Amino acid sequence: MIFVTLFPLWVVLKTAITPAKDLFAESTRLFPSSPTLINFERVLGFLSLEQNQAAGGSGAVINFAHALRNSLLFTACVVIFQTFFSALAAYAFARLKFPGRDLIFFLFLSATMIPGVVLFIPNFILMRDLGWLNTFQGMVAPYVLMAPFAVFFLRQFFLSMPKELEEAAYLDGASPFYIFWRLVLPLSKTPIATLSILTAIATWNEFFWPYIVARGDEWQVITVALKAFQSQSPQGGADWTGIMAATSLAIIPVIILLVVLGRQVVESLQFSGVK
């Protein structure tokens, strides 16, 4: 199972470190005979156009370092704001009492049954009317507020917390927001970290919305840059070594997150699922 999972990743990395002129001659080899990092230098813009083409590049010019910066900024912004607002909503649904709370929560969860692609058109029209096309705020706006899964996930954890701590804080005159900020959030580091990781992976891999809203060079994220890099190849001939080098750069942050915090993600999801 590990071999089946890791072999495609190795093929990506092997292609990325193989010289372009040796790509097809060594397609059946498990390891390249002359590994090189020049494909990474090409996609990161460290080489001139002439050096790029001499190394087997197609001449396509995409600044992947800039796209990586945009992806990091896009992911960080969505993770911070979406996790915070989802935690606020989850705490309200778990602890606060107000008319129609359970009905509102049910209706809110029913949003998970709506395919995300259905919302692209109204969201695009809204961003266009606001004048936010090809802007950072237009790219992050649909993601920075609450997400149904995030609210459900955190609500399950908040329900399991002992009420005595919060009741003692109420007796001392603390407000609901003070209790949430100073008591509940510090005790919820593990589920919040897990939710942040899941949100970060989903946001990092997001393609379609950034593609239709922010496809310009200024706010182009790594997934859109990969598509642009492939489409710039002349006569449809893909620059496979360059594409695989850029793909390797794109998946490295996700692999690091899963290797370092993967066990924590699985344990938190199992905990939430049995409540």
Side-chain angles (χ1 to χ4, degrees), residues 23-213:
L23 178 62
F24 295 105
E26 299 187 357
S27 59
T28 58
R29 296 172 61 98
L30 188 58
F31 298 96
S33 59
S34 303
T36 177
L37 296 178
I38 195 169
N39 297 316
F40 291 95
E41 297 176 5
R42 289 199 293 116
V43 298
L44 288 174
F46 294 158
L47 302 181
S48 64
L49 179 61
E50 292 75 16
Q51 292 173 319
N52 190 327
Q53 292 178 325
S58 62
V61 179
I62 297 292
N63 191 339
F64 281 100
H66 185 73
L68 279 172
R69 188 214 67 166
N70 289 341
S71 285
L72 287 172
L73 191 59
F74 174 52
T75 302
C77 185
V78 171
V79 168
I80 292 172
F81 286 101
Q82 187 180 105
T83 303
F84 176 70
F85 289 128
S86 296
L88 280 174
Y91 182 71
F93 284 127
R95 286 291 191 257
L96 302 186
K97 295 181 180 179
F98 52 89
R101 183 189 67 176
D102 294 338
L103 176 61
I104 295 174
F105 180 65
F106 173 78
L107 294 175
F108 185 72
L109 279 188
S110 65
T112 57
M113 294 184 291
I114 302 175
V117 68
V118 176
L119 303 175
F120 281 153
I121 293 177
N123 284 337
F124 179 82
I125 294 174
L126 178 61
M127 294 303 111
R128 184 198 61 189
D129 293 344
L130 291 173
W132 287 0
L133 294 182
N134 289 317
T135 64
F136 182 72
Q137 61 268 30
M139 188 165 60
V140 303
Y143 299 98
V144 294
L145 297 180
M146 300 166 289
F149 170 76
V151 174
F152 170 76
F153 179 78
L154 291 177
R155 176 181 175 270
Q156 299 305 102
F157 180 81
F158 293 154
L159 287 174
S160 68
M161 295 178 64
K163 293 183 179 179
E164 290 76 10
L165 293 174
E166 298 168 62
E167 291 172 350
Y170 275 120
L171 291 177
D172 290 337
S175 66
F177 183 78
Y178 184 88
I179 295 172
F180 168 78
W181 185 255
R182 299 300 298 270
L183 180 64
V184 175
L185 280 187
L187 294 175
S188 309
K189 291 180 180 177
T190 299
I192 288 177
T194 301
L195 181 64
S196 299
I197 295 168
L198 295 176
T199 305
I201 294 174
T203 307
W204 184 266
N205 293 325
E206 185 64 41
F207 168 74
F208 194 62
W209 178 252
Y211 180 69
I212 63 176
V213 171

Side-chain angles (χ1 to χ4, degrees), residues 212-233:
I212 63 176
V213 171
R215 64 169 66 185
D217 293 338
E218 184 178 3
W219 292 110
Q220 195 174 61
V221 297
I222 188 68
T223 50
V224 179
L226 283 170
K227 171 64 177 174
F229 184 78
Q230 183 179 9
S231 62
Q232 285 186 8
S233 300

